[in-house]
Amino acid sequence: MLTGHTGFKGTWMTMLLEQLEIPVVGYSLQPEKNSLFDRANRIGAIPELFADIRDSKSIDNFIDYYKPSIIIHMAAQPLVLESYQKPRETFEINVMGTVNVLSSAFSKDYMKVILVVTSDKVYKNNNFGVPFTEVDSLEGHDPYSASKVGTESVVVAWQVISGLSGGPKVFSARSGNVIGGGDIGKDRLFADLVEGWLSSRTVFIRNPSSTRPWQHVLDPLYGYLLAIEHVLLGEEVKAINFAPKSKSMSVKEIVDLAQSYFPIIVNFKDSNQVGNSNDRESKFLDVDPTLASIKLKWETQYSQKDSIIKTLEWWKNHALLGRNAHQLCKEEIEEFLNKINNNPLHPNNK
Ligand SMILES: NC(=O)c1ccc[n+]([C@@H]2O[C@H](COP(=O)([O-])OP(=O)(O)OC[C@H]3O[C@@H](n4cnc5c(N)ncnc54)[C@H](O)[C@@H]3O)[C@@H](O)[C@H]2O)c1
């Protein structure tokens, strides 16, 4: 079962699972107009329910009906700037939504593993630029990050319950900023760049010197599946990072690279116009992926630069050349899976 299957990561995850021949059912709100889900015409592609994660009865009925043994819980209010406008809703969805999923899942004897997707923004960030490891302190500055720290606390509470009374295994995955074809998230750098490029409008860029661990969306998604398999095989994972090994790239470096490919007009100075100030978002963010690399033999297949180019190419093919979004994703997933040597999840290696 995948929650948040109509979102950016959820749509890619559903297609990745399909290509790996792993059946999945989805629970989310209705897809947004022009989202990847919408562009790739995914409605009805898998058994799905459009309902709220805050509705505990509805989740329980859904789980009872489909009896999944694994849950990937991604549904969330994931936007930092929106969390300042809607802090209460952000906490209700991200924290209580997770409580609803876990408390229902723990009442089913067929449930085996639950992965809760949180974020690299859960780490207490003093902006020193030192990569965070899984044992570092957590503290959220903005409401979104704080709500995801709350989500992490919920995960720990149910890990304790699982240890004391038995039940499914629960762990969290903390991944860095993902990019890839089809993301239309508000105030996300790539969505803004692509929108500006396609509409020939000036893009206002906030915090050009901020750094983020950019990675192609398929990299952490594949890592999530490896981690689930690991836990299913009886290994212990409590929380795990997914991020590129290389130093995080700055917003300015990414914009420069994008501009070398496509004619995008940007304005770096006018950060007030996008309703932001420097202290609303962290400045430096690096995440250490050593645990995933040792435990799961996971590493990113695409460099940060490749990920950026792949994202721009996807948009060029889809938005300018009119190519089918689903087909483009399928081709990328096939290419990605072919890159992985001895991929234990690939149908050919089952
Ligand atoms: N995109 C990133 O760079 C990034 C980085 C780190 C972590 N994450 C996390 O990954 C997950 C997916 O992010 P995304 O980028 O795909 O976001 P998205 O906004 O594209 O998708 C969010 C999904 O959650 C669902 N959802 C939201 N509120 C809901 C509610 N009340 N009830 C039921 N479903 C609800 C939406 O319908 C959608 O399917 C989130 O948990 C996010 O915090 C994202």
Side-chain angles (χ1 to χ4, degrees), residues 4-10 28-29 51-54 74-76 78 93 117-119 144 148 175-178 188:
H5 75 291
T6 57
F8 169 60
K9 283 166 79 169
S28 303
L29 294 182
D52 204 300
I53 207 76
R54 289 166 289 184
M74 280 192 192
I93 296 170
V117 172
T118 65
S119 166
Y144 165 73
K148 286 286 183 174
S175 77
N177 284 50
V178 294
R188 282 186 179 160

